[in-house]
Amino acid sequence: MGSTWLSNGYSEASSGSAPCLERRYRALLFTYYPFSAARLRRWHPGWEVAYDAAADIDENGTSLIADVDEAGHRSWYLDSPGPVPLRRADVTRYLDERGDALDFMTRLLSASSLTHRRPEFGCFGLHEWAMVHRVPAGAQRHEDLPLRLSPAQTDAVVERENLVCSHIDAFRFFTPSAAPRNASEPTRATQVENDNPACLHVGMDLYKWAMKLTPLVPSSLVLDCFEHARETRVLDMEASPYDVRPLGYGVVPIETPAGKAEYVRRQRALAARADVLRERLLAAVSPLVDVPAA
């Protein structure tokens, strides 16, 4: 059972990550977040499930995955005693070494759910525009992608629209000229209070939290969060000032009323799907931690 399940898990993880590597900007998921494709392919059944430890070793006694050492022990896992050891996530070690992080993640996930916080749909993806405001030509963050409008036109969009970004990991890349235009100044200390359930980056971050919660959460959930982040990244870049049409993607011209309407329509759908994933993450770890009400 364990060996078959493990093999299927590796296959699912490998096939799930392969399409991401086909598109250059989607590969930003592997640079924007500190997780390699190899780590994404690493299978975990979740903390409640044990599997046959022999499934991690091939017929020659060679480890099938990088986190199994020469003695056959898998990092962040414990084996039961006996002739057929069962391998299970080391919950005690995780709580001892990452308990504070687990507390932060569960508080953040709970507070940013649609149940606890009203979503705001008025940002229109302007964070990417604010990252290139008054930047010299060729000096923008994604220098291999051309701007869709001229630099002057791009700056004008930022200057006439309301910047209402509430996510620290988007706001911190605003240019010095754009940051003071934002309605607030998000910080890491206020992230639990600020994260907007409708924010694209908050939805993408579910992949980050899922990876940080391994081996407690199953890889099937991690992959679902990864797929959601990939889909969200499409809207993020189609609504950006960059021209991604040469890569086979469209344009959501948020500088126009029609573009704003299209952005919000897709943003609402993504926010609803993100909330389902958020609740699944919380359900997976809630027996291990007290999740306070927001």
Side-chain angles (χ1 to χ4, degrees):
M1 176 64 175
S3 177
T4 301
W5 195 349
L6 188 65
S7 297
N8 289 342
Y10 282 134
S11 177
E12 180 185 3
S14 295
S15 62
S17 61
C20 183
L21 303 178
E22 297 173 2
R23 305 280 187 175
R24 286 184 297 166
Y25 80 81
R26 285 189 181 184
L28 287 171
L29 288 175
F30 294 130
T31 55
Y32 182 79
Y33 297 115
F35 313 116
S36 66
R39 184 170 172 184
L40 177 61
R41 294 188 184 102
R42 212 165 292 163
W43 179 80
H44 301 278
W47 71 272
E48 295 179 290
V49 176
Y51 68 95
D52 185 350
D56 288 340
I57 306 297
D58 67 16
E59 61 275 10
N60 299 316
T62 302
S63 170
L64 293 170
I65 50 178
D67 56 354
V68 174
D69 62 24
E70 293 181 358
H73 302 298
R74 186 176 186 185
S75 179
W76 295 98
Y77 278 81
L78 286 176
D79 294 348
S80 66
V84 183
L86 295 179
R87 182 160 287 169
R88 186 187 295 271
D90 190 346
V91 174
T92 300
R93 180 187 173 191
Y94 191 100
L95 295 178
D96 286 345
E97 298 184 20
R98 300 181 180 176
D100 289 345
L102 177 61
D103 176 70
F104 170 78
M105 287 184 280
T106 52
R107 287 190 296 110
L108 181 66
L109 290 169
S110 179
S112 59
S113 71
L114 291 175
T115 303
H116 294 139
R117 183 164 296 155
R118 185 181 70 181
E120 300 292 342
F121 293 97
C123 73
F124 305 122
L126 282 160
H127 56 278
E128 288 285 349
W129 297 70
M131 295 176 194
V132 298
H133 183 249
R134 298 186 183 177
V135 169
Q140 64 265 21
R141 291 185 66 230
H142 306 305
E143 67 280 354
D144 59 332
L145 294 175
L147 293 177
R148 185 166 51 80
L149 305 178
S150 72
Q153 291 171 322
T154 301
D155 291 346
V157 171
V158 175
E159 290 161 11
R160 72 167 179 259
E161 300 287 350
N162 294 322
L163 300 183
V164 293
C165 180
S166 59
H167 191 58
I168 175 59
D169 287 319
F171 176 74
R172 66 191 178 95
F173 291 109
F174 280 27
T175 64
S177 58
R181 295 176 176 275
N182 201 51
S184 64
E185 188 174 347
T187 66
R188 190 70 63 198
T190 60
Q191 186 172 7
V192 172
E193 291 75 30
N194 283 340
D195 267 9
N196 171 19
C199 171
L200 298 192
H201 279 258
V202 170
M204 288 170 60
D205 278 355
L206 294 174
Y207 166 60
K208 174 173 69 174
W209 306 133
M211 287 292 281
K212 287 179 177 290
L213 286 168
T214 57
L216 302 183
V217 300
S219 287
S220 57
L221 177 51
V222 176
L223 284 170
D224 286 345
C225 291
F226 176 75
E227 291 295 339
H228 178 75
R230 286 175 55 198
E231 183 178 355
T232 302
R233 187 61 171 165
V234 172
L235 177 58
D236 195 33
M237 293 306 286
E238 288 186 339
S240 77
Y242 300 104
D243 189 352
V244 294
R245 287 171 292 186
L247 300 179
Y249 296 97
V251 171
V252 179
I254 55 89
E255 70 274 17
T256 69
K260 286 182 173 67
E262 173 67 8
Y263 184 90
V264 172
R265 182 188 69 79
R266 289 169 62 178
Q267 185 184 23
R268 287 185 182 276
L270 289 168
R273 289 197 288 275
D275 209 53
V276 173
L277 294 170
R278 187 179 291 110
E279 293 303 322
R280 287 173 61 192
L281 286 169
L282 285 168
V285 300
S286 61
L288 304 176
V289 66
D290 293 327
V291 181

